Amino acid sequence: EVVWIAGGDQANYITEWTGTPVQDALNQHVAAGKPIGGTSAGLAVLTQFVYSALGSQGITSADALADPYNKYNTFARDFVYVPHLQGTIADTHFAARDRMGRTIGFLCRIQVQGWSAKPRAIAVSEETAILIDQKGVGAVIGLNSAYFIEAPGAPEVCSPGLPLTYRKVAVRRVGAGDSFDVADWRGNAGTAYTVTAEAGVLSSSQPGGSVY
């Protein structure tokens, strides 16, 4: 059998399922080697680190870049233990809703809080999915791209009330039909580049400067 967690508002899953038999059942299902998946909010709760969306509104890239400690930037962790998703945080509707800035804001908070020395993010575009097999290899399917993002270490500036500076965050954009080894965090398909947040402003090493 497969467990599929629907989209909507991940704050409901975090607040209503944490510490309940539902959370236990999800973890037992994964531990038994059975498939689990989700879309949008349902994907967001599968990674080790979770943007929990507990504020009255979602965090935007502009908000997170201006102040990574914005009150809407809320987190949970270890909701479901999926082995190949340890050390990662997820984001969805990625390019369509311009979420690169907030994802980099997530990474800075995870690093500064001591959860991971080199935090990683898996970001998925709309009408796109990543199918991760038992070996940890993720196949990208659908119409658009997935993004595998790794911070280089500590941010230069990630403090309350200050715009974010986080330089040379590594990005690999992988299109449909290609794959990325999530377990070993490596892959040759797609396009590799870096994105820098400098005093809250994003730039990219790609020709033309697109962060996507």
Side-chain angles (χ1 to χ4, degrees):
E1 295 181 357
V2 175
V3 169
W4 184 264
I5 305 177
D9 184 351
Q10 60 261 41
N12 291 331
Y13 300 138
I14 295 298
T15 57
E16 295 178 16
W17 291 356
T18 297
T20 73
V22 176
Q23 185 183 29
D24 293 340
L26 290 174
N27 280 295
Q28 290 166 10
H29 177 89
V30 176
K34 298 177 181 179
I36 191 168
T39 185
S40 192
L43 168 59
V45 298
L46 295 181
T47 47
Q48 181 183 10
F49 310 126
V50 178
Y51 164 59
S52 55
L54 296 180
S56 59
Q57 66 184 51
I59 187 77
T60 66
S61 285
D63 291 337
L65 289 167
D67 179 4
Y69 285 79
N70 184 289
K71 64 181 180 179
Y72 299 120
N73 217 13
T74 61
F75 300 93
R77 59 177 296 176
D78 303 315
F79 179 71
V80 179
Y81 183 86
V82 180
H84 297 310
L85 297 182
Q86 297 306 289
T88 67
I89 191 168
D91 210 350
T92 57
H93 308 283
F94 192 58
R97 299 188 185 179
D98 188 25
R99 287 181 165 173
M100 180 67 80
R102 82 173 199 169
T103 298
I104 293 177
F106 296 166
L107 296 180
C108 99
R109 287 287 303 276
I110 291 168
Q111 207 285 335
V112 169
Q113 287 171 201
W115 289 356
S116 174
K118 295 180 69 175
R120 294 165 171 170
I122 299 173
V124 187
S125 301
E126 295 182 1
E127 300 181 296
T128 306
I130 305 169
L131 309 181
I132 301 176
D133 66 18
Q134 290 181 330
K135 295 181 179 179
V137 176
V140 179
I141 64 169
L143 301 182
N144 297 300
S145 298
Y147 298 78
F148 301 89
I149 305 166
E150 182 177 41
E156 286 77 4
V157 179
C158 182
S159 300
L162 296 177
L164 174 64
T165 295
Y166 211 166
R167 299 189 180 99
K168 295 185 177 180
V169 175
V171 179
R172 181 168 289 274
R173 183 181 67 245
V174 179
D178 287 322
S179 63
F180 183 86
D181 190 329
V182 176
D184 292 335
W185 206 260
R186 58 184 175 85
N188 296 318
T191 302
Y193 59 100
T194 62
V195 173
T196 289
E198 187 76 44
V201 178
L202 293 184
S203 62
S204 165
S205 66
Q206 289 197 100
S210 173
V211 299
Y212 301 102

